[in-house]
Amino acid sequence: MTPNPKNEVSSSSWSLFLNLNKARLTQLNKNWMRFRAHPTGMIGLGLIFFFLLMLVIHPVLMNTIWRPSIYDPYIGFDQVLKMHPTLPSLKHPLGTDGMGHDILSQLMYGARMSFSVGITSAITAVLISTLVGGVAGFSGGIADVILMGISDVFILLPALIVLLLLGTLVRLSWWSISIIFGILMGLGSQSIVVKAQTLAMKSKVYIEAARIAGGSDFHIFFNHILPGLIPLAIVHAVMTVVGAVLTESLLSFFSRTHDYMTWGSMIWVGHRTFRWFNYGGQWSSLIPPAMSIMLFCSAFYLVGRSSDKIFNPRLREKEIVN
Amino acid sequence: MTKYIIKRLFRGLITLITFQSILFGLIQILPYDFTAFLVLSPLEQRLAQSTLGLDHPGWQQYLIWLNNFFHLDLGKSFLAWPTPVHEIIFATAPRTLLLFLSAAILAYFLGISLGKIIAWNRGGWLEFSLTLGGVASYTSFAPFLGFVILNVFGRYLHWFPYRRLVDHTIWFDAPVSVSWVLSWVVITALFSVIIMWGIFLITRGFGNTLIKWGSRLAGLSLIGSGIWIWWNKIGHGKLALDILYHLALPLSTVVLMSFGETMLLMRTTMLETLTEEYVLMAKAKGLPPRVIRDKHVARNAFLPVLTRLLLNLPFVLTGSLAIEIIFNWRAMGTVVFQAIEYQDIPLIMGILSLVGALTLLGHIFLDILYLFLDPRLRYAERK
């Protein structure tokens, strides 16, 4: 029996798909091996997992061993203790703040907010910068002039001041802050970098080969240009997280947002009622949120730097004259 | 070349106007204006609006403002009514410059020298700890860092004063105003920095290390004593020292916050340069490692860092709001913050346009500089 030619074609394309996937997986594995060689990157990854763990454990604890009337981050209050704030104890592992809330519970709840802000703004920024920069670099001409004109304007807008201005207009919540921040970052400096990268890729030989093989502009942009922009997008995403979380914390520190439970507002509460010696000192209510902001941002920054080292061929470890 | 520069300037002008219209539009969307913050009857409110020029529709207000802007008139502030905006800017600029410009310059010097060292000693504990320290300082939360430094060195150890610009016991019957002394401190600092730079440039050629550093030290002490004598001769040396003493805490906070970024950038560019072949060539020639590091690698790695410095410098004007509020250092950031709170349109627009225009000038300057420096770009432009 002769094999069905149609069937054979489909099987060969299947095997091609499998092989391609295998190649992609090998590349991923290779990148992961390279990433593992950077101790700072691994520290960052570990910290991110630690904060993820905090985020996951909080609802579990609230539903099992923590009584909501005492440990709820918004309305919890421990009536057994005479004075708030208190120092760390067995019942409250990080103490309570001046308003009687448990700090560990607040900290875990705040991790949720930081992750949401960071991830939303990173996705917004990367989508915008990749599309704008990619289109401007790839198509050139009038689109390039208009899009780069826009990013020339957006690079001049300082994010904090724009957010403060908008804060008088609308009630800022975590998602509006992160989307506005993402737009400012994505349309500003990031799209200019992406455009430069696209221009460099456009002159590569494999793009010409794809053109000779009859690929349309659309096909070339989505199948050959965009995958090449992914490494840059990862680095930009991670760096946007740092900026977004710091900006959001500053805004909630100045109480310009409508979210009452973030790390920034915890610092604000602690610092408004701060006493140096009276009532046993209050560093226990200030240090945990501040350290969390720092460690969270450092974690993403370290991961970003390490991935930059992997993806940027000029930074790859070589034998260096020393 | 001239054609390119004219084209670039024209594009910059369009960018500036778009930037201003976006800002003005953002402010104009609000349903209320500055008069809403005053306790007025409706008639008085209308009178106030017509006095402030708020009775026109938004686009008309914008065109009037733009027309004044291009006649170099920034209007009058609403909050401090008859005071022109440029006077407010000139009055607060010395404070901003003294704190944030000197902090930026110090942080760049610190960052560049540390970055040079950690890029050279790769893989050691020094690099690891300095990298982690730099990342921590870069990502630390500004109000908290200021708060810690203020409490530890000010409130607990009593080494430095805090939460004040000057000491009122010293300034009790001073013959001059604080801003006068502040501006002269800024001018003196700029002057001494320029002279020091000159001394370093002149003594670079001296072969003998002892003579080189001896002459540098002698020059520095000569300038220092000269400045000291001059300040004492006008009789305000004590006042200037008091200002510098109060500057210590905020300055160190800003430097601590911002040196990490430069250090990490310098390290990255150094590592990129280290893979170039002329470094290998220098090594093969048998040059000492110190000379390779300072003359062959660092000087080439310095350019992107300098670019970053130039582009970030105008944003120094708006400063760091958190630092200003924590240390009670009333400078331009606080002014902008207050202006935003009260819808003081001319003040917001004036300060932000100034910053935007300076940034744009920096961009244009760098573009033209690169065109001069890079023959490839020149060729592409001619084509």
Side-chain angles (χ1 to χ4, degrees):
Chain A
M1 196 178 126
T2 53
N4 184 358
K6 202 176 172 189
N7 199 1
E8 187 164 28
V9 165
S10 84
S11 92
S12 84
S13 78
W14 176 244
S15 75
L16 183 69
F17 176 74
L18 272 186
N19 278 338
L20 258 179
N21 248 9
K22 211 192 253 171
R24 273 178 195 151
L25 278 178
T26 326
Q27 184 61 32
L28 204 69
N29 204 13
K30 217 186 270 173
N31 280 341
W32 169 239
M33 295 302 270
R34 284 206 201 111
F35 189 86
R36 263 185 16 186
H38 297 292
T40 49
M42 289 309 284
I43 290 176
L45 218 57
L47 281 171
I48 291 175
F49 274 114
F50 171 71
F51 283 111
L52 270 178
L53 201 69
M54 274 172 68
L55 180 139
V56 173
I57 284 181
H58 184 255
V60 177
L61 281 177
M62 286 303 288
N63 283 327
T64 52
I65 54 171
W66 280 358
R67 271 176 55 198
S69 61
I70 298 177
Y71 289 100
D72 187 273
Y74 286 103
I75 54 165
F77 189 82
D78 197 344
Q79 293 179 342
V80 180
L81 297 171
K82 286 241 169 64
M83 264 194 279
H84 291 287
T86 54
L87 290 177
S89 60
L90 222 60
K91 198 175 173 192
H92 300 283
L94 289 178
T96 57
D97 71 359
M99 288 155 80
H101 304 311
D102 181 66
I103 288 186
L104 185 62
S105 168
Q106 282 182 315
L107 208 64
M108 289 176 160
Y109 191 81
R112 189 183 301 187
M113 200 62 84
S114 295
F115 268 107
S116 329
V117 168
I119 290 169
T120 316
S121 61
I123 290 174
T124 318
V126 160
L127 277 183
I128 289 177
S129 68
T130 309
L131 273 181
V132 169
V135 169
F138 185 69
S139 67
I142 189 81
D144 180 22
V145 172
I146 291 173
L147 290 175
M148 284 300 109
I150 291 174
S151 54
D152 272 355
V153 173
F154 271 80
I155 208 171
L156 297 180
L157 291 168
L160 188 66
I161 285 177
V162 171
L163 281 167
L164 283 174
L165 257 178
L166 285 172
T168 56
L169 176 66
V170 287
R171 289 184 158 190
L172 289 176
S173 55
W174 65 265
W175 59 269
S176 44
I177 290 175
S178 38
I179 285 178
I180 291 162
F181 189 83
I183 290 173
L184 285 177
M185 286 292 111
L187 271 182
S189 50
Q190 291 186 359
S191 57
I192 293 175
V193 177
V194 171
K195 187 208 154 193
Q197 177 85 4
T198 316
L199 277 182
M201 272 184 358
K202 208 174 132 189
S203 59
K204 288 270 166 66
V205 186
Y206 63 86
I207 302 289
E208 261 175 56
R211 217 178 270 289
I212 291 164
S216 64
D217 274 354
F218 196 76
H219 168 84
I220 291 174
F221 184 67
F222 276 93
N223 289 12
H224 297 287
I225 299 274
L226 276 191
L229 291 176
I230 286 175
L232 199 61
I234 291 174
V235 175
H236 277 163
V238 172
M239 293 302 173
T240 313
V241 171
V242 179
V245 171
L246 280 178
T247 309
E248 197 272 342
S249 305
L250 263 181
L251 278 171
S252 53
F253 177 79
F254 293 130
S255 41
R256 287 297 179 278
T257 66
H258 224 65
D259 304 311
Y260 296 111
M261 197 44 63
T262 62
W263 292 337
S265 60
M266 282 171 76
I267 295 178
W268 188 78
V269 168
H271 128 275
R272 291 303 285 181
T273 59
F274 184 78
R275 300 282 179 282
W276 178 262
F277 286 121
N278 307 346
Y279 315 114
Q282 296 180 358
W283 287 108
S284 61
S285 65
L286 271 178
I287 289 178
M291 287 302 283
S292 303
I293 294 173
M294 200 186 83
L295 288 179
F296 189 86
C297 296
S298 307
F300 277 93
Y301 190 82
L302 289 174
V303 170
R305 265 167 49 86
S306 300
S307 38
D308 193 21
K309 266 187 213 157
I310 291 167
F311 296 131
N312 188 348
R314 279 173 68 102
L315 285 181
R316 259 180 217 157
E317 307 293 321
K318 279 183 194 167
E319 66 283 39
I320 283 169
V321 190
N322 200 342
Chain B
M1 184 66 102
T2 333
K3 202 178 148 197
Y4 173 79
I5 292 174
I6 289 170
K7 222 161 79 181
R8 190 69 191 80
L9 281 174
F10 183 68
R11 229 180 89 194
L13 193 68
I14 290 178
T15 310
L16 185 66
I17 291 174
T18 324
F19 166 72
Q20 286 168 342
S21 23
I22 287 179
L23 270 181
F24 211 92
L26 276 181
I27 303 171
Q28 283 290 336
I29 307 171
L30 277 177
Y32 54 88
D33 55 22
F34 174 71
T35 54
F37 296 100
L38 308 171
V39 185
L40 295 174
S41 69
L43 187 69
E44 286 168 333
Q45 189 172 12
R46 241 181 299 152
L47 189 68
Q49 276 174 346
S50 69
T51 316
L52 300 177
L54 290 170
D55 49 349
H56 304 293
W59 59 271
Q60 222 166 338
Q61 285 180 42
Y62 175 60
L63 287 184
I64 292 170
W65 184 86
L66 201 65
N67 185 27
N68 287 339
F69 178 78
F70 284 111
H71 289 92
L72 297 180
D73 174 18
L74 293 176
K76 291 173 181 171
S77 161
F78 292 169
L79 268 173
W81 164 239
T83 325
V85 169
H86 63 88
E87 264 180 32
I88 295 182
I89 292 177
F90 282 134
T92 46
R95 295 181 186 199
T96 309
L97 290 181
L98 188 61
L99 177 52
F100 292 106
L101 188 67
S102 47
I105 291 171
L106 273 180
Y108 268 84
F109 273 111
L110 192 66
I112 284 167
S113 41
L114 283 179
K116 214 159 71 176
I117 291 169
I118 62 172
W120 199 249
N121 307 322
R122 280 169 54 78
W125 64 269
L126 186 73
E127 190 214 2
F128 188 71
S129 52
L130 266 180
T131 306
L132 283 191
V135 172
S137 87
Y138 171 60
T139 57
S140 60
F141 191 52
F144 178 73
L145 190 68
F147 199 67
V148 167
I149 287 182
L150 185 147
N151 270 294
V152 170
F153 293 103
R155 220 174 256 178
Y156 184 63
L157 294 172
H158 296 291
W159 286 358
F160 294 102
Y162 59 95
R163 277 187 182 276
R164 260 194 213 107
L165 180 64
V166 291
D167 190 347
H168 56 88
T169 53
I170 295 178
W171 286 77
F172 177 59
D173 48 1
V176 286
S177 68
V178 179
S179 355
W180 187 88
V181 177
L182 260 175
S183 14
W184 274 103
V185 168
V186 172
I187 292 169
T188 317
L190 277 177
F191 179 71
S192 51
V193 163
I194 290 170
I195 299 256
M196 270 182 217
W197 194 40
I199 287 178
F200 271 79
L201 278 187
I202 291 167
T203 54
R204 191 190 269 162
F206 292 3
N208 193 331
T209 319
L210 199 69
I211 294 176
K212 189 158 86 178
W213 283 100
S215 54
R216 277 180 187 180
L217 269 182
L220 288 189
S221 50
L222 205 68
I223 291 166
S225 50
I227 288 170
W228 180 238
I229 288 168
W230 185 76
W231 271 100
N232 274 341
K233 208 184 146 209
I234 34 172
H236 307 315
K238 215 174 169 186
L239 304 179
L241 268 188
D242 184 52
I243 284 181
L244 290 183
Y245 188 41
H246 283 78
L247 183 72
L249 283 188
L251 185 74
S252 48
T253 313
V254 183
V255 170
L256 203 62
M257 252 173 52
S258 47
F259 87 96
E261 198 187 354
T262 319
M263 186 180 82
L264 297 172
L265 186 71
M266 184 67 189
R267 180 180 170 276
T268 317
T269 49
M270 278 279 282
L271 289 185
E272 281 185 16
T273 324
L274 273 176
T275 56
E276 299 282 350
E277 274 164 3
Y278 57 78
V279 181
L280 194 67
M281 176 68 194
K283 179 78 182 164
K285 275 197 296 189
L287 291 176
R290 210 189 152 77
V291 174
I292 301 178
R293 187 188 80 182
D294 288 349
K295 294 209 166 156
H296 292 252
V297 185
R299 208 168 286 169
N300 283 301
F302 182 61
L303 265 180
V305 184
L306 189 72
T307 311
R308 176 75 74 88
L309 171 68
L310 271 183
L311 292 185
N312 278 353
L313 223 43
F315 288 105
V316 161
L317 272 184
T318 51
S320 169
L321 188 57
I323 297 291
E324 284 179 18
I325 285 179
I326 288 283
F327 286 100
N328 218 2
W329 190 273
R330 302 276 162 195
M332 209 104 75
T334 327
V335 171
V336 174
F337 190 61
Q338 220 169 26
I340 288 174
E341 292 271 277
Y342 289 102
Q343 295 300 307
D344 190 346
I345 302 174
L347 200 52
I348 307 174
M349 292 299 297
I351 293 179
L352 290 186
S353 317
L354 185 71
V355 174
L358 284 178
T359 319
L360 257 177
L361 279 181
H363 281 258
I364 294 171
F365 173 72
L366 279 177
D367 275 0
I368 293 170
L369 192 72
Y370 275 132
L371 204 65
F372 268 109
L373 293 181
D374 198 337
R376 284 170 299 179
L377 284 178
R378 221 161 36 214
Y379 178 70
E381 191 57 42
R382 205 177 297 147
K383 217 167 63 171

